[in-house]
Amino acid sequence: MTATIAHLHDMPVRLTACCFAISCAVVFLTDPLALPREVHRQKRMERSWFRWFAENAARVPIIALIFMAFFAISWRPVYAAQATMSFFIIFTGISRAKFIFIREPLIFSDIALVVDVFKYKTIFYATSLNIVFWIVAFAYVFGASALYMYYEPHILPDRSRPFWITVMVLAAALPWLAIFLKPVSRIVARCSEWLFMTFDARLNTVRFGTFTSVVIHFTIWLGAKREKILAEIRHGLQHALHELHELIGVEDEAAPLIVIWQSESFMDLRNFGETDFHLPNIDRMRRHAVQWGRMTSVFEGGYTLRTEFAVLSGLQPESVHSDASYPYLRAAYYSDVVWPTKLKKAGWRTHFIHPYDRTFFLRHKAMPLLGFEKMTMLDEFEHDAQLDGPYVSDMNLTKKVLGIAAEADVNTPALLFVASMANHGPWEPGRVRGLNDPVAIYKQLLVEADKALGRLIGELDKLDRPVWLAFYGDHAPLLKAFADPFPDPRTDYIITPLAEARTKRGRGVEPAEEAPWNLFRLTLSRAGLLRGDLQ
């Protein structure tokens, strides 16, 4: 065996070319495993032979760059082939696992969440990433590498070794570094946009495989020109900002308080025929609502920030382009078009309240850029995870919100945006005393959320100012014991006037479906704060 390998290494160019060809073949054969067959059938796209060839040809340079990286550190073609195949297969496996769990393949913005996955294992359902996982992973990576370094002879030329090492390192690294240069990134982004045509993660994974899809998406995110699109968005929102300047702060009237409550993983299971529990305060809100109904989902079963940003910005995912999967990575891009910024410019006080780590999803950087003057995060709550459970309860969150609302100046309009955590999974035994079934645990958490909502409504109703409460669920829960996927991923929303705004209470209004990016404007409109809109 060793003699055979040595003989092959007498033909280094042929051997390297052969190893690279084998790498490409294996990657092309294994990439489809990232998604189930039914997804491949659903995402088949009619395309010309030229486009089919171009899309597949675009995958080869990506494989080549990974192959060159492993070759540059070893000068061993067989090792480079094995490492390249493992690299792509690992991405494929992660993508398949993510799809099984959350029904979305791996995308480029997931790379930005890698640190968070290990830091917040429970919220990402990643508790299996324990010491055993790391021992196996490191044993494979370093053990296999050591064996190749020992048994496979290198093919580094005997003469001018520093020169050839430098050439190979530059060949492997320069293309990655070049895409960070604006002129290069613009060109690459235009080519990538032509290849992609859409940001449908499933379709692109079917067409390009996981890692190539991730790289193409990243190049678009990095280099695409967004200025023109943002200019159009800003122009379209100037009229709304002018209306706010005109109509907010009317003399002789108490300033309004708007509370938007984003309820984590809230979905009324009674919509699916589950009638063995009661949500009396949700029902009361609906009876007195000016508008309520089902809310379409930005994403099913996770990624709260996508719905959160859609509500705060009023922008559809298509308008956010390549930023849609993780808009807080470039929150500054949208600073002057989001609703909190417009309200702040109109003289409002804006406050973001969320009982979780302020660094999660980069909220500590994003929220000030998105117009929030103040932030109240987990470090301002008294919470012991060992005694109180993994998340701050909705009742404790309610108490904090009510304290902030009571201290707010009644002569200054204010926005409180509240993002709860209590309903988040996993719904495991021990989460609720006496319950082991995930569905039963989830229902009890809904009941607890409803009790907190009743306390919130009761106290807000006593304030001497117009109060508007908009309540909605951010996405369907990842409750596989109940449904996988949910037959209807729409959540619930309710807009209800309280306190001095009670004269505008609804009288048995019929439910209406709404999209999250319309919710903020709809709340302002129902509160009579936008000229020419529905009152």
Side-chain angles (χ1 to χ4, degrees):
M1 178 68 177
T2 304
T4 303
I5 294 176
H7 175 70
L8 290 173
H9 280 70
D10 291 336
M11 302 177 288
V13 175
R14 291 184 183 180
L15 176 61
T16 302
C18 181
C19 287
F20 176 65
I22 292 172
S23 299
C24 290
V26 171
V27 169
F28 272 73
L29 287 171
T30 56
D31 271 348
L33 300 177
L35 295 171
R37 288 183 180 178
E38 58 267 23
V39 176
H40 283 267
R41 288 194 293 268
Q42 293 167 3
K43 293 297 180 179
R44 271 192 195 134
M45 188 177 77
E46 293 295 329
R47 46 191 167 163
S48 65
W49 279 103
F50 174 75
R51 174 165 283 280
W52 178 89
F53 176 80
E55 290 178 0
N56 283 282
R59 301 165 68 179
V60 176
I62 306 298
I63 302 172
L65 286 171
I66 300 302
F67 184 91
M68 285 192 293
F70 286 112
F71 186 82
I73 64 175
S74 67
W75 284 83
R76 290 169 170 81
V78 178
Y79 167 73
Q82 186 271 338
T84 299
M85 290 183 287
S86 295
F87 181 89
F88 278 83
I89 289 170
I90 287 170
F91 268 84
T92 297
I94 294 172
S95 191
R96 181 62 174 257
K98 183 190 171 190
F99 183 85
I100 290 171
F101 187 68
I102 207 169
R103 304 196 68 77
E104 180 185 73
L106 196 71
I107 56 177
F108 102 93
S109 57
D110 291 328
I111 309 303
L113 292 171
V114 167
V115 174
D116 281 346
V117 169
F118 294 107
K119 187 177 179 181
Y120 310 105
K121 291 181 181 179
T122 299
I123 203 169
F124 280 106
Y125 303 85
T127 52
S128 60
L129 301 178
N130 51 27
I131 188 64
V132 175
F133 168 85
W134 287 113
I135 290 173
V136 172
F138 278 100
Y140 173 73
V141 172
F142 293 103
S145 297
L147 289 173
Y148 273 103
M149 298 300 172
Y150 182 79
Y151 286 106
E152 183 186 4
H154 66 74
I155 60 172
L156 180 63
D158 293 328
R159 298 178 60 183
S160 305
R161 285 189 172 184
F163 169 77
W164 289 111
I165 291 173
T166 302
V167 167
M168 199 64 240
V169 169
L170 291 176
L174 282 180
W176 296 110
L177 298 175
I179 63 173
F180 289 93
L181 300 174
K182 185 169 285 189
V184 176
S185 68
R186 296 291 197 199
I187 295 170
V188 174
R190 282 198 294 270
C191 295
S192 296
E193 285 181 313
W194 180 83
L195 283 168
F196 250 22
M197 299 190 299
T198 173
F199 287 102
D200 184 325
R202 296 184 186 184
L203 177 58
N204 289 330
T205 301
V206 167
R207 292 160 63 205
F208 298 99
T210 298
F211 185 71
T212 302
S213 177
V214 165
V215 171
I216 294 174
H217 193 170
F218 174 70
T219 60
I220 295 173
W221 179 85
L222 188 65
K225 287 186 177 182
R226 304 287 290 117
E227 291 80 3
K228 183 178 179 181
I229 296 173
L230 285 170
E232 293 174 355
I233 292 171
R234 291 188 184 102
H235 177 75
L237 292 172
Q238 287 305 309
H239 179 61
L241 179 57
H242 176 68
E243 291 169 339
L244 287 169
H245 273 299
E246 281 190 342
L247 295 176
I248 291 173
V250 179
E251 293 183 5
D252 301 325
E253 290 186 13
L257 169 66
I258 290 181
V259 179
I260 297 182
W261 187 291
Q262 176 178 269
S263 186
E264 171 63 45
S265 302
F266 185 93
M267 177 174 278
D268 190 345
L269 293 188
R270 296 176 300 176
N271 294 323
F272 302 95
E274 299 291 315
T275 58
D276 58 342
F277 69 107
H278 303 284
L279 303 175
N281 296 297
I282 287 289
D283 294 337
R284 178 157 62 106
M285 271 193 78
R286 286 171 175 159
R287 286 195 300 271
H288 297 293
V290 291
Q291 188 164 332
W292 66 280
R294 307 295 294 280
M295 192 173 79
T296 55
S297 179
V298 174
F299 183 79
E300 177 191 341
Y303 290 107
T304 294
L305 83 161
R306 297 182 188 176
T307 304
E308 184 174 280
F309 182 78
V311 172
L312 291 172
S313 67
L315 301 176
Q316 298 184 35
E318 293 81 4
S319 299
V320 188
H321 198 62
S322 56
D323 295 326
S325 60
Y326 196 167
Y328 294 165
L329 283 175
R330 286 201 291 211
Y333 250 59
Y334 305 94
S335 180
D336 60 341
V337 301
V338 294
W339 282 109
T341 297
K342 295 198 290 288
L343 291 175
K344 186 169 71 171
K345 287 181 178 179
W348 286 56
R349 295 289 176 259
T350 55
H351 198 141
F352 181 82
I353 307 163
H354 180 50
Y356 203 63
D357 193 321
R358 63 179 57 243
T359 66
F360 189 61
F361 284 147
L362 299 178
R363 284 190 177 102
H364 65 303
K365 295 181 179 179
M367 292 309 165
L369 292 171
L370 297 180
F372 287 101
E373 294 178 318
K374 295 183 179 180
M375 294 178 65
T376 297
M377 306 297 282
L378 180 61
D379 50 13
E380 297 187 46
F381 288 82
E382 294 182 4
H383 178 69
D384 185 335
Q386 297 297 322
L387 299 175
D388 307 325
Y391 311 114
V392 173
S393 70
D394 278 3
M395 187 61 76
N396 285 337
L397 177 58
T398 292
K399 293 175 183 177
K400 180 71 72 173
V401 172
L402 290 173
I404 293 170
E407 294 173 1
D409 182 1
V410 296
N411 297 313
T412 304
L415 164 70
L416 304 183
F417 189 97
V418 186
S420 74
M421 281 297 298
N423 300 331
H424 201 290
W427 302 277
E428 297 174 339
R431 182 77 182 273
V432 175
R433 183 176 298 177
L435 296 178
N436 295 314
D437 176 62
V439 178
I441 292 170
Y442 177 71
K443 289 178 181 178
Q444 184 57 38
L445 291 174
L446 294 184
V447 170
E448 296 300 322
D450 184 79
K451 290 178 182 177
L453 186 61
R455 171 77 179 272
L456 180 71
I457 294 170
E459 295 301 317
L460 290 179
D461 219 13
K462 298 175 184 178
L463 297 180
D464 295 324
R465 65 190 304 177
V467 179
W468 292 82
L469 174 60
F471 174 94
Y472 69 93
D474 58 345
H475 54 70
L478 281 171
L479 192 60
K480 294 182 180 294
F482 181 79
D484 183 27
F486 264 77
D488 184 344
R490 293 178 301 169
T491 59
D492 305 270
Y493 80 95
I494 315 169
I495 302 172
T496 301
L498 301 169
E500 298 301 316
R502 283 177 295 178
T503 56
K504 296 185 182 237
R505 285 191 175 185
R507 293 181 177 85
V509 295
E510 292 297 318
E513 183 176 297
E514 196 51 81
W517 46 84
N518 293 329
L519 187 65
F520 211 119
R521 183 183 182 93
L522 182 63
T523 302
L524 294 175
S525 173
R526 291 296 188 181
L529 298 173
L530 293 181
R531 189 188 301 279
D533 282 333
L534 290 171
Q535 303 298 322

